[in-house]
Amino acid sequence: VNDLRAVTRIEAGALSLDRRPCDLVALCQQEVEIQRQLAPGRAIQIEAPTEPLRAEVDEQRVGQVVANFLSNALNYAPPASPITISLRADDATARIEVRDEGPGISAAEIPRLWERFHRVAGIKAQDGTQSLGLGLYICKAIVERHGGQVGVESAPGVGSTFWCALPRAALAEIPEPTVV
């Protein structure tokens, strides 16, 4: 239901963002912990800077993107294979990547992954469930609304790396966190 509401907002041009200073490292660590609780037997590794990676984003919406990338990796990759989330940044952009060792996606399918209701033929979730094909569509809209980009690198039998690149907008205006 929430996904359908989000799609309605996206199509109406009414997807709002509540941009605030955010530490993307902490956000990703939080999403990893949630996924670890939902899939306790799965290995999820995080590669991130030790210092905060600050950006001005809608924390809830970006968390939704990270959660979707992680849950897709967990759903489609074999249970024994690790999932890795990595973060890196330069002065202007922060990039979040989620890698898996799943079935991979053919080059012909990649352009359609971000379309509403698209599902890759012949690839099933590990638990046998089928998605509505809305998650990646919503992720793309959220990231683009932030002025960023999404993408995927994949090949059959190799796995996939889903990524988003977000501008670290207005960093000069983001105050350092106050320690009390």
Side-chain angles (χ1 to χ4, degrees):
V1 172
N2 287 335
D3 283 351
L4 292 173
R5 267 192 232 137
V7 168
T8 301
R9 286 188 192 111
I10 291 165
E11 291 179 348
L15 182 68
S16 62
L17 298 179
D18 182 19
R19 291 180 191 232
R20 296 172 190 240
C22 172
D23 175 8
L24 293 176
V25 173
L27 172 67
C28 288
Q29 289 170 334
Q30 178 181 339
E31 293 301 330
V32 165
E33 287 309 313
I34 290 168
Q35 294 301 320
R36 284 178 176 157
Q37 290 175 12
L38 295 172
R42 300 296 300 270
I44 306 172
Q45 303 163 350
I46 187 162
E47 299 170 353
T50 54
E51 67 279 351
L53 198 166
R54 297 179 313 135
E56 187 176 304
V57 297
D58 184 319
E59 186 172 350
Q60 182 178 354
R61 300 272 189 206
V62 172
Q64 184 178 353
V65 171
V66 173
N68 183 276
F69 287 0
L70 285 169
S71 66
N72 280 352
L74 290 165
N75 284 335
Y76 294 102
S81 69
I83 307 300
T84 304
I85 181 170
S86 61
L87 290 90
R88 63 178 187 264
D90 58 28
D91 288 341
T93 307
R95 184 171 166 123
I96 302 168
E97 298 179 346
V98 175
R99 287 188 307 275
D100 67 51
E101 296 174 5
I105 303 161
S106 71
E109 285 285 343
I110 288 176
R112 299 195 59 219
L113 285 177
W114 309 100
E115 294 176 5
R116 182 180 53 154
F117 301 120
H118 182 71
R119 295 182 302 225
V120 177
I123 296 181
K124 300 261 188 237
Q126 293 294 317
D127 64 4
T129 61
Q130 188 125 13
S131 78
L132 293 174
L134 295 174
L136 292 176
Y137 172 79
I138 293 168
C139 289
K140 181 179 184 209
I142 289 169
V143 171
E144 287 180 348
R145 182 78 174 90
H146 278 88
Q149 298 176 312
V150 294
V152 62
E153 290 132 29
S154 187
V158 178
S160 301
T161 300
F162 282 83
W163 58 267
C164 68
L166 297 161
R168 297 175 70 194
L171 284 178
E173 299 170 20
I174 300 174
E176 287 291 330
T178 304
V179 179
V180 182

